[in-house]
Amino acid sequence: CSLWSNLTPPVALSAFTAAIIADSNPMRTAVTSMRIGFGTFLIPFLFVANPGLLLLGDLGNILTTVISAVIGLALMCGSFEGYIWGLGKVDPWQRVAFFAGGICMAIPGLYTDAIGLIVAGVTFAVSYFLFKPKNPSPAVSVSGPVVNGAASD
């Protein structure tokens, strides 16, 4: 949890340094860093809940534990930030669903992993096929031929 002190205000040394470099609001940068870095706070508690994350046990348990924890943390951090890869910016109901799926994935056990995958998968499928992604990846457009890495008109 020592990394967490670099992200949380009022100390937030890393966040404040990044804000100076980026010429942005230091407190806003610190709050954003807390949302993005949520996993650094949760990982030590996951170690206690499932020793497979410490690479203890048989290979099958280690693989399922690590994969489900990574997916769960990615879903939770994405729901905090409001951006899910492949969908772009997500609505509040999607954020809640992805967070619930992430929590289920982070809790040790195959049943909770299955529930988390189903919740996240159904939310992703409904969001992708019924609602158009709000911020698809920006397409690179070049107005003319590329010369030495730069577009020329």
Side-chain angles (χ1 to χ4, degrees):
C1 287
S2 66
L3 293 176
W4 195 245
S5 67
N6 284 320
L7 302 177
T8 57
V11 177
L13 292 176
S14 298
F16 288 160
T17 304
I20 291 169
I21 293 170
D23 194 27
S24 65
N25 182 342
M27 289 303 287
R28 186 177 213 167
T29 304
V31 170
T32 301
S33 71
M34 284 176 37
R35 286 195 318 246
I36 293 172
F38 174 73
T40 61
F41 179 71
L42 191 61
I43 287 173
F45 297 104
L46 293 178
F47 286 156
V48 173
N50 199 340
L53 288 174
L54 295 172
L55 306 180
L56 300 174
D58 62 341
L59 183 62
N61 182 32
I62 291 171
L63 287 176
T64 57
T65 301
V66 169
I67 290 170
S68 67
V70 167
I71 293 171
L73 285 172
L75 288 171
M76 285 188 282
C77 291
S79 69
F80 278 156
E81 190 57 31
Y83 186 90
I84 300 291
W85 180 79
L87 293 179
K89 190 172 180 176
V90 292
D91 293 330
W93 72 270
Q94 295 164 316
R95 292 173 79 165
V96 170
F98 283 123
F99 185 77
I103 286 286
C104 288
M105 292 291 294
I107 295 172
L110 292 177
Y111 292 120
T112 56
D113 289 349
I115 291 169
L117 277 177
I118 290 169
V119 168
V122 167
T123 305
F124 188 87
V126 166
S127 301
Y128 188 79
F129 292 113
L130 295 182
F131 304 108
K132 212 173 211 181
K134 292 185 178 171
N135 288 340
S137 299
V140 177
S141 64
V142 178
S143 58
V146 176
V147 178
N148 293 332
S152 63
D153 288 334

